[in-house]
Amino acid sequence: ATAGADVYFTGRTLNPRPNKPNQSLVEVANEMRARAGGGRIIPVQCDHSILEQTEKLFERIAQENDNKLDILVNNCYSALSYVLEQTGKPFWELPASIFGDINNVGLKAHYECTVYASRLMVDQGHGLIVNISSIGAYTYTFTPAYGIGKAGVDRLTTDTALELKSRGVTVVSIWPSPVDTEYVRELMAEFDGEMVASGEELAYKKPTIWMYLNKLINGDKLNNSTQRNRSVNCETFVPVAIETSELVGRCVVYLADDPNVIKKTGRAYLTCEIAKDYGFTDIDGSIPFDICSVRCAMERFGVPFHNWVPRWFRLPLWLLLTFTPFLGTTAFTAYK
């Protein structure tokens, strides 16, 4: 919206709730309008688990915009807290319905929105579809149902891009780092409190969320019946910095402004890769942490002479994600 686009955004809660501030469409719309750069802000109450509501959303967009749609960002998700509650438990001990609980408002809704958006974009001969995915598409994260869903999102990107490229429509996935949302702040505050209560010193303050999530993955917050005696040493984690919730929005804007964006179609990108390609920073001026950068890793760990290593020296992401679970030194610790 700050870049001048008319933005339709959806959610299930229309009006403010006293016990959950800043989590309604009205409140978000007011915040967006205070900063908008000329674009219209249109909040739409929609439950993406109900196909009919999704269909009506796109009918409205088509009617109000002369059958035009330039950008679709698939970001709806409803099960993060549920995922964290189930993390660390063997998948066979969980209800089989967990896959639908996690992925109906997620992978399934992404596919449905992509279908309706593509009909408009194909007719006009151009468009950009951005699927907000996760590094969990490639390496074990939380629980199998989560990773399968994210892998499905990236497959949605590659396969739809194959059919849409000749029609001028670009499809990409974006993998954000942990994002500074209200919910993440709650998790960080809870974890900080536990660390203080236990007398354990935090090795890194900014990337606390990674350590919190690793605590979950490694079973430290599970019930006794599901403990697997998996210990966590916070000092061994690669400290990945949290990015603001607006960094991924900047990624979308720069992609949409790129006349050659079709060259990127069909692939998944870290937010730091897109920021590097287009030369922008997060809104606070920080440079997104590049998990593939040898220099960034050396800086975070305080390794001497890191300035001698060129910033372009990066490990391939597939190599990093393939071997780090066996090293036990990153946030993506495999289930044991």
Side-chain angles (χ1 to χ4, degrees):
T2 57
D6 294 338
V7 177
Y8 291 75
F9 68 101
T10 62
R12 291 179 296 183
T13 302
L14 179 61
N15 296 310
R17 293 175 291 181
N19 60 329
K20 294 185 177 181
N22 302 319
Q23 295 186 32
S24 69
L25 291 170
V26 169
E27 290 167 299
V28 174
N30 290 336
E31 181 180 350
M32 293 172 67
R33 291 186 181 112
R35 301 176 48 199
R40 293 183 300 149
I41 309 298
I42 305 101
V44 181
Q45 189 173 28
C46 178
D47 185 342
H48 284 287
S49 68
I50 303 173
L51 178 58
E52 291 75 15
Q53 293 191 21
T54 300
E55 185 176 17
K56 289 181 179 179
L57 166 68
F58 283 91
E59 288 177 353
R60 175 180 172 180
I61 292 172
Q63 292 171 359
E64 295 179 0
N65 296 277
D66 194 26
N67 292 317
K68 303 295 183 183
L69 178 62
D70 298 309
I71 304 168
L72 168 68
V73 179
N74 282 318
N75 188 46
C76 63
Y77 200 65
S78 67
L80 180 57
S81 59
Y82 181 59
V83 167
L84 295 181
E85 290 171 2
Q86 307 307 320
T87 295
K89 302 174 185 177
F91 76 91
W92 60 88
E93 294 182 6
L94 299 174
S97 59
I98 189 175
F99 185 84
D101 295 336
I102 291 175
N103 294 304
N104 278 344
V105 180
L107 174 59
K108 178 176 176 288
H110 292 356
Y111 179 84
E112 293 165 353
C113 289
T114 299
V115 169
Y116 292 121
S118 296
R119 292 174 182 174
L120 299 174
M121 293 177 177
V122 166
D123 287 343
Q124 69 190 16
H126 65 86
L128 171 64
I129 298 174
V130 177
N131 296 315
I132 305 302
S133 185
S134 164
I135 207 165
Y138 198 94
T139 188
Y140 182 94
T141 306
F142 302 133
T143 189
Y146 176 88
I148 294 167
K150 294 304 181 182
V153 171
D154 283 357
R155 192 69 194 190
L156 171 66
T157 293
T158 57
D159 287 6
T160 57
L162 183 67
E163 295 190 8
L164 288 170
K165 185 175 182 179
S166 63
R167 305 301 186 97
V169 179
T170 299
V171 190
V172 298
S173 287
I174 294 181
W175 293 356
S177 293
V179 180
D180 184 17
T181 64
E182 290 86 353
Y183 184 65
V184 166
R185 291 181 185 181
E186 291 177 7
L187 294 181
M188 292 176 68
E190 178 183 346
F191 181 64
D192 284 350
E194 290 179 353
M195 297 291 279
V196 171
S198 65
E200 189 172 357
E201 183 177 356
L202 288 174
Y204 307 97
K205 290 299 292 184
K206 191 174 183 182
T208 305
I209 186 61
W210 273 136
M211 292 182 281
Y212 178 88
L213 296 180
N214 275 275
K215 284 276 188 178
L216 287 172
I217 291 173
N218 284 273
D220 288 0
K221 287 179 63 60
L222 303 179
N223 296 328
N224 291 334
S225 61
T226 56
Q227 285 282 4
R228 294 292 180 269
N229 296 319
R230 287 167 282 166
S231 63
V232 175
N233 177 3
C234 291
E235 295 183 355
T236 66
F237 292 121
V238 174
V240 181
I242 292 174
E243 61 192 44
T244 74
S245 58
E246 297 188 42
L247 178 62
V248 70
R250 287 193 166 188
C251 290
V252 174
V253 169
Y254 276 88
L255 288 169
D257 283 344
D258 184 356
N260 298 310
V261 69
I262 195 71
K263 294 180 179 180
K264 294 184 179 293
T265 196
R267 289 185 55 197
Y269 299 89
L270 296 163
T271 50
C272 63
E273 291 180 297
I274 299 175
K276 179 182 177 182
D277 286 348
Y278 293 106
F280 63 90
T281 66
D282 207 336
I283 60 169
D284 59 3
S286 63
I287 299 174
F289 181 79
D290 185 353
I291 64 173
C292 299
S293 169
V294 175
R295 178 170 173 169
C296 283
M298 292 174 67
E299 288 177 339
R300 293 284 176 174
F301 283 120
V303 177
F305 311 116
H306 59 261
N307 288 329
W308 293 9
V309 180
R311 290 192 179 276
W312 52 261
F313 184 39
R314 305 173 77 246
L315 296 175
L317 182 61
W318 66 266
L319 181 65
L320 183 68
L321 297 182
T322 298
F323 288 101
T324 49
F326 301 101
L327 298 176
T329 57
T330 74
F332 309 102
T333 305
Y335 181 85
K336 299 176 182 178

